[in-house]
């Protein structure tokens, strides 16, 4: 029991699970779940109490029981006590100060990651302002590599997302050419297929692989289908670079996605068996997002931000190339408006980076959320400052297959320019070699004569 | 008015503009510096404005009810437990149930009339524009097919701030063999007025999405009324014969445009 007196009113919280939920910044999903603080004062009181909780307490009191949940078992069993030692005596409040202080440099933070649990990361984030989340995250760089290198300081990569409502190959190719010419695609060229049909998935994989080979593009391809479909595609000889899966922070939500830790490991091994990596062998691509556990009734009364942080413990067990929080896709009943989406994006980037992941973010919203392009400009710029590793590139920010708005190729050029960020080093060299960008990463003036990517013809 | 000769170029065009014929995606927009040209920016804003208005603008119910009555579907107005649009968006659970007053009204109605084979429910859902535009022409196309089968079909039960599952409660109270819920779908930038139809056999409170079949993207530019009406007719015939709906009816080649919904509105 945690309790405190504010004026004449006493606030009581029954255990870490309730304390964490009540301390969480307001969002519609926690209110929908009946977990949110009932007043602003109750929320502030919960934070005061949370700040006094020793970090080590999170090793003793699990929010979801060890016996009940394989994600909890993973978190507990993989905890590195030696790595935890530098902060083992701190409270949550002192941990915030430590993170913001000079002692917490890139090297120290990288060494600390295996010693932290997702609940510790979530707890400290709840008492951090947006600027704290940005400053602390900006100090961390988690580097991963396959053909390109992701997560280096001063770099901003992008997933080229060339979706098409019917997976029409020429329609997909048209968007790929557009994206490459705009300097996007260094995180991956990744399609959300309209169907999970194996044949269709294999055709798309071959198509992207062909164009990648033809122009020797230092990136990796991905068709974002269920991990078991990707395993089948690998068995049938498809050119698979990245193995994709949506994941969440509890065993039950992962079950609702049709996966568990063993299936993810099987997927990773299948991908590794092809040995296609050049710069490195990180080949898992995970997507996450606050609210997915609640929507599957699999949240165990844990607040949605803490469950999201637990998903990063799942991700880091598989040395991923990319982890992407799809922050505004889920809808207003989980994140109501631009303010909530922006906060969630910054929390996810911070927690993911603190736990050792190459974090990216799908800066996005649906048309029934109270958000617009101005909100996305804000979040995108803040994430750039916070050292986010990659964002999405969708033609004109309008995904014509998934019917939501993400970030555009133009948005990525904007972000790189305003913050002086560059594409991944291998990809930047390719862009200049192809005559698309100059050495300072300014777009070249292109016309029919100097544009080296061949355009498909209607008749061919 | 033509621009003076010395007007500077403000846009760089992309030499791959002809690829626009292959996709509706916003490719080859050109650039001003590295930013989006003004016309493309405003074009995006008008599309988003239409989608937002579809979610938020109130429906002209008088016009809809007049047209429904004209099409042979006299309307009864009901209300969900959500009190306003904001609460509707925040609390999907409230949109899935009738408010007690509406439920009483419906019970009275059910007591005095024969249970229909099919109950028709319409709800504004996430696009009022969709219901205003597509509900009546769809029902006009579907009515003759149902008549040919000899099914008895109810009038239209319109639910303010309703979600798909509210049809379960209405169907249960009426004792209908099946319910068809016409509802505005989440609008996309290129499709602000898409209507979905969700069919459930033996509707009852508490059923889940796996028990429904969905026909989506109904609008002249998407799935045409005639095709959607034929699919509903075919689905109902199968459901009445098999006494089930949802996942079990999915793998039927004849039902190419029907699907089990991944997520209901």
């Amino acid at each position: 029991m945690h309790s405190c007196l504010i004026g004449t009113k006493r606030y009581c919280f029954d255990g870490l699970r309730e304390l964490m939920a009540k301390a969480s910044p307001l969002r519609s999903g926690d209110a929908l779940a009946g977990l949110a603080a009932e007043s602003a004062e109750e929320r502030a009181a919960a934070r005061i109490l949370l700040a006094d909780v020793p970090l080590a307490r999170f090793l003793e009191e699990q929010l979801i029981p060890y016996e009940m949940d394989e994600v909890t078992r993973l978190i507990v069993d993989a905890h590195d006590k030696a790595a935890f030692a530098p902060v083992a005596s701190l409270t949550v409040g002192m941990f915030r100060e430590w993170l913001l202080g000079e002692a917490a440099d890139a090297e120290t933070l990288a060494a600390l990651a295996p010693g932290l649990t997702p609940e510790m990361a979530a707890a400290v984030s709840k008492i951090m302002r947006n600027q704290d989340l940005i400053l602390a995250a900006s100090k961390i760089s988690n580097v991963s590599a396959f053909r390109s290198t992701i997560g280096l300081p001063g770099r901003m990569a992008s997933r080229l997302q060339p979706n098409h409502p019917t997976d029409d190959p020429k329609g997909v190719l048209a968007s790929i050419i557009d994206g490459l010419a705009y300097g996007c695609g260094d995180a991956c060229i990744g399609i959300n297929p309209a169907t999970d049909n194996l044949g269709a998935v294999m055709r798309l994989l071959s198509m992207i692989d062909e164009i990648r080979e033809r122009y020797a593009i230092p990136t990796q391809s991905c068709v974002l289908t269920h991990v078991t479909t990707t395993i089948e595609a690998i068995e049938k000889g498809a050119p698979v670079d990245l193995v994709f899966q949506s994941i969440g922070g509890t065993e039950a939500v992962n079950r609702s996605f049709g996966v568990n830790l063993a299936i993810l490991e099987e997927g990773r091994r299948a991908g590794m068996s092809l040995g296609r990596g050049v710069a490195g062998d990180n080949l898992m691509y995970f997507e996450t997002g606050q609210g997915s556990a609640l929507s599957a009734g699999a949240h165990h009364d844990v607040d949605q931000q803490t469950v999201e942080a637990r998903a990063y413990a799942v991700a880091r067990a598989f040395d991923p190339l990319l982890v992407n929080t799809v922050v505004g896709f889920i809808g207003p009943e989980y994140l109501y408006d631009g303010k909530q989406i922006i906060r969630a994006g910054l929390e996810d980037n911070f927690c993911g980076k603190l736990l050792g992941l190459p974090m990216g973010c799908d800066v996005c919203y649906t048309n029934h959320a109270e958000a617009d392009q101005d909100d996305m400009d804000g979040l995108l710029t803040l994430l750039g400052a916070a050292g986010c590793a990659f964002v999405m590139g969708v033609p004109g920010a309008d995904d014509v297959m998934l019917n939501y708005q993400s970030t555009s190729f133009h948005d990525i050029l904007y972000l790189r320019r305003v913050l002086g960020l560059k594409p991944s080093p291998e990809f930047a060299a390719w862009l200049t070699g192809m005559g698309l960008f100059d050495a300072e990463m300014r777009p070249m003036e292109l016309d029919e004569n100097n544009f080296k990517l061949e355009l498909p013809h209607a008749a061919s | 008015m033509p621009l003076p000769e010395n007007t500077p170029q403000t846009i760089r065009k992309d030499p791959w503009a002809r690829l626009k014929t292959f996709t509706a995606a916003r490719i080859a927009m050109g650039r001003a510096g590295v930013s989006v040209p003004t016309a493309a920016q405003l074009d995006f804003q008008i599309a988003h404005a239409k989608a937002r208005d579809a979610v938020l603008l109130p429906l002209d119910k008088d016009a809809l009810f007049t047209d429904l009555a004209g099409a042979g579907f006299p309307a009864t107005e009901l209300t969900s437990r959500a009190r306003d649009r904001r609460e509707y968006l925040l609390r999907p659970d409230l949109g899935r149930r009738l408010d007690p007053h509406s439920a009483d009204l419906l019970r009275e109605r059910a007591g005095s009339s024969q249970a229909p084979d099919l109950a028709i429910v319409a709800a504004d859902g996430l696009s009022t524009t969709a219901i205003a535009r597509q509900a009546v022409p769809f029902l006009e196309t579907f009515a003759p097919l149902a008549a040919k089968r000899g099914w008895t079909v109810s009038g239209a039960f319109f639910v303010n701030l309703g979600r798909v599952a509210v049809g379960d409660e209405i169907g249960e109270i009426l004792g209908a063999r099946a319910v068809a819920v016409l509802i505005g779908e989440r609008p996309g930038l290129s499709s602000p007025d898409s209507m979905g139809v969700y069919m459930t056999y033996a509707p009852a409170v508490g059923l889940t999405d796996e028990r429904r079949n969905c026909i989506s993207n109904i609008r002249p530019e998407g799935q045409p009324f005639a095709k959607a009406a034929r699919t509903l007719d075919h689905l109902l015939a199968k459901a009445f014969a098999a006494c089930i709906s949802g996942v079990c009816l999915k793998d039927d080649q004849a039902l190419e445009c029907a699907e089990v919904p991944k997520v209901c509105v």
Side-chain angles (χ1 to χ4, degrees):
Chain A
M1 175 73 86
H2 305 262
S3 84
C4 69
L5 202 60
I6 306 284
T8 56
K9 192 161 168 54
R10 177 159 294 281
Y11 290 96
C12 300
F13 306 95
D14 184 18
L16 285 178
R17 187 172 60 187
E18 186 184 4
L19 189 61
M20 294 273 274
K22 295 285 172 74
S24 212
L26 176 65
R27 66 208 59 203
S28 48
D30 289 339
L32 180 65
L35 299 171
E38 277 160 35
S39 67
E41 188 173 274
E42 186 187 26
R43 180 171 297 110
R47 287 181 189 167
I48 288 169
L49 289 166
L50 182 59
D52 282 341
V53 172
L55 283 183
R57 177 77 199 149
F58 289 93
L59 299 175
E60 294 152 18
E61 183 182 341
Q62 295 307 321
L63 275 59
I64 301 172
Y66 184 91
E67 301 72 28
M68 188 193 271
D69 186 281
E70 69 168 358
V71 178
T72 303
R73 291 196 287 278
L74 172 70
I75 292 165
V76 171
D77 296 350
H79 183 252
D80 182 337
K81 277 214 162 54
F84 180 58
V87 297
S89 60
L90 302 183
T91 61
V92 171
M94 293 164 74
F95 184 42
R96 170 182 170 275
E97 292 154 354
W98 184 89
L99 283 169
L100 299 172
E102 304 302 336
D105 58 16
E107 206 179 321
T108 312
L109 287 165
L112 178 66
L116 294 177
T117 66
E119 287 81 0
M120 294 174 193
V124 73
S125 80
K126 292 178 195 299
I127 60 162
M128 291 168 87
R129 283 169 50 193
N130 285 2
Q131 69 160 264
D132 301 342
L133 297 173
I134 293 168
L135 178 59
S138 75
K139 298 200 268 183
I140 305 168
S141 64
N142 299 318
V143 179
S144 61
F146 191 78
R147 285 191 199 90
S148 59
T149 307
I150 307 297
L152 292 168
R155 307 276 171 173
M156 172 58 72
S158 64
R159 164 186 164 197
L160 201 174
Q161 183 170 311
N163 294 346
H164 186 279
T166 61
D167 293 339
D168 177 72
K170 279 187 188 140
V172 170
L173 185 57
S175 290
I176 291 179
I177 289 172
D178 197 58
L180 291 172
Y182 273 84
C184 292
D186 39 351
C188 72
I189 299 173
I191 304 182
N192 297 92
T195 134
D196 269 346
N197 175 283
L198 180 63
V201 166
M202 290 181 65
R203 270 192 297 282
L204 285 171
L205 281 166
S206 300
M207 198 266 275
I208 313 178
D209 199 53
E210 211 173 284
I211 183 167
R212 189 192 57 71
E213 284 274 328
R214 177 166 172 193
Y215 297 107
I217 310 170
T219 189
Q220 33 284 330
S221 63
C222 187
V223 173
L224 285 73
T225 187
H226 196 267
V227 60
T228 54
T229 308
T230 301
I231 293 170
E232 272 188 82
I234 290 170
E235 284 164 359
K236 290 195 185 309
V240 171
D241 289 341
L242 304 186
V243 176
F244 169 82
Q245 184 55 46
S246 290
I247 56 168
T250 69
E251 181 178 335
V253 68
N254 287 327
R255 195 181 309 125
S256 82
F257 289 137
V259 297
N260 55 36
L261 299 175
I263 293 174
L264 294 175
E265 178 56 22
E266 197 187 324
R268 195 182 74 90
R269 278 169 199 259
M272 294 292 277
S273 73
L274 300 180
R276 291 167 63 88
V278 177
D281 60 4
N282 304 105
L283 55 75
M284 297 302 283
Y285 174 7
F286 293 117
E287 283 191 351
T288 65
Q290 292 190 23
S292 64
L294 175 60
S295 82
H299 61 298
H300 302 283
D301 286 339
V302 175
D303 71 88
Q304 69 182 33
Q305 190 255 333
T306 302
V307 178
E308 171 72 7
R310 287 168 54 96
Y312 306 148
V314 174
R316 71 175 171 181
F318 301 96
D319 299 325
L321 180 78
L322 309 166
V323 179
N324 171 27
T325 169
V326 189
V327 71
F329 188 74
I330 191 159
E333 63 268 44
Y334 301 94
L335 294 168
Y336 183 68
D337 56 12
K339 182 180 172 75
Q340 293 185 8
I341 293 171
I342 288 168
R343 173 72 195 183
L346 293 175
E347 288 166 347
D348 294 352
N349 181 66
F350 164 77
C351 288
K353 290 192 78 175
L354 189 61
L355 293 168
L357 293 172
M359 279 306 287
C361 182
D362 190 343
V363 175
C364 64
Y365 64 106
T366 58
N367 287 317
H368 60 320
E370 282 291 328
D372 62 18
Q373 294 299 98
D374 291 335
D375 297 306
M376 298 304 107
D377 289 344
L379 178 54
L380 179 66
T381 310
L382 298 174
L383 285 170
C388 181
F390 68 101
V391 292
M392 307 302 111
V394 177
D398 171 13
D399 190 307
V400 293
M401 203 280 279
L402 295 173
N403 274 333
Y404 78 120
Q405 285 87 252
S406 181
T407 42
S408 69
F409 305 139
H410 293 75
D411 290 335
I412 291 152
L413 292 184
Y414 144 80
L415 189 64
R416 285 174 181 162
R417 173 161 292 188
V418 80
L419 294 179
L421 301 171
K422 295 213 155 54
S424 76
E426 301 85 351
F427 198 75
W430 181 81
L431 289 172
T432 40
M434 287 292 287
L436 295 168
F437 283 73
D438 68 17
E440 270 69 54
M441 284 297 120
R442 285 181 297 241
M444 301 289 283
E445 290 173 21
L446 299 173
D447 56 45
E448 280 86 354
N449 302 315
N450 66 5
F451 189 58
K452 292 181 187 165
L453 296 167
E454 194 193 332
L455 307 185
H457 287 272
S460 67
Chain B
M1 206 173 74
L3 294 167
E5 261 180 41
N6 58 355
T7 305
Q9 271 291 328
T10 53
I11 303 175
R12 295 248 161 248
K13 290 189 176 160
D14 298 325
W16 56 93
R18 70 172 175 80
L19 299 188
K20 283 171 181 274
T21 56
F22 298 128
T23 179
R26 292 169 195 260
I27 62 165
M29 293 201 300
R31 56 187 177 85
V34 295
S35 301
V36 173
T38 302
Q41 177 131 310
L42 297 175
D43 184 53
F44 182 100
Q45 286 177 8
I46 196 78
H48 185 237
K50 282 182 183 174
R52 290 296 290 157
D53 285 349
V55 174
L56 296 174
L57 279 189
L59 183 65
D60 182 349
K61 282 184 279 192
D62 290 343
L64 176 66
F65 292 177
T66 304
D67 292 349
L68 281 169
F73 293 88
T76 305
E77 186 172 0
L78 304 169
T79 302
S80 81
R81 292 182 186 177
R83 285 163 301 184
D84 55 42
R85 204 76 194 154
R86 181 184 156 89
E87 189 175 61
Y88 175 76
L89 291 171
L90 285 168
R91 293 287 305 273
D93 52 323
L94 298 179
R96 296 184 186 122
R97 293 300 303 271
L98 289 175
D99 83 340
H101 178 73
S102 283
D104 288 343
L105 180 89
L106 196 62
R107 266 183 220 106
E108 275 173 41
R109 177 71 62 88
S112 64
S113 59
Q114 194 75 26
D117 291 320
L118 179 67
I120 299 291
V121 173
D124 37 13
L126 293 176
S127 171
T128 54
T129 321
I131 285 301
R133 290 186 188 159
Q134 328 301 1
V136 171
F138 171 79
L139 287 172
E140 281 174 333
T141 318
F142 173 70
L145 303 179
K148 208 169 157 189
R149 300 269 193 185
W151 296 329
T152 55
V153 181
S154 74
F157 293 93
F158 179 83
V159 188
N160 292 299
L161 303 173
R163 300 253 175 192
V164 170
V166 79
D168 294 339
E169 187 170 5
I170 295 171
E172 182 177 357
I173 293 174
L174 294 174
R177 290 171 73 202
V179 63
V181 180
L182 286 55
I183 194 163
E185 296 183 319
R186 194 184 90 192
L189 287 195
S190 54
S191 55
D193 57 352
S194 240
M195 185 180 80
V197 175
Y198 293 78
M199 187 279 285
T200 311
Y201 179 83
V205 172
L207 291 185
T208 54
D209 293 349
E210 65 179 23
R211 289 289 294 277
R212 311 181 206 291
N213 293 90
C214 163
I215 308 165
S216 67
N217 195 24
I218 301 171
R219 59 194 180 106
E221 303 79 11
Q223 178 132 228
F225 300 120
K227 194 174 171 196
R230 271 201 313 277
T231 305
L232 179 60
D233 172 65
H234 191 85
L235 274 172
L236 280 165
K238 298 272 294 182
F240 287 149
C243 297
I244 188 78
S245 61
V247 182
C248 316
L249 290 185
K250 162 172 91 151
D251 293 322
D252 183 334
Q253 290 306 308
L255 301 176
E256 56 182 23
C257 57
E259 54 192 75
V260 177
K262 284 183 183 139
V263 185
C264 284
V265 174

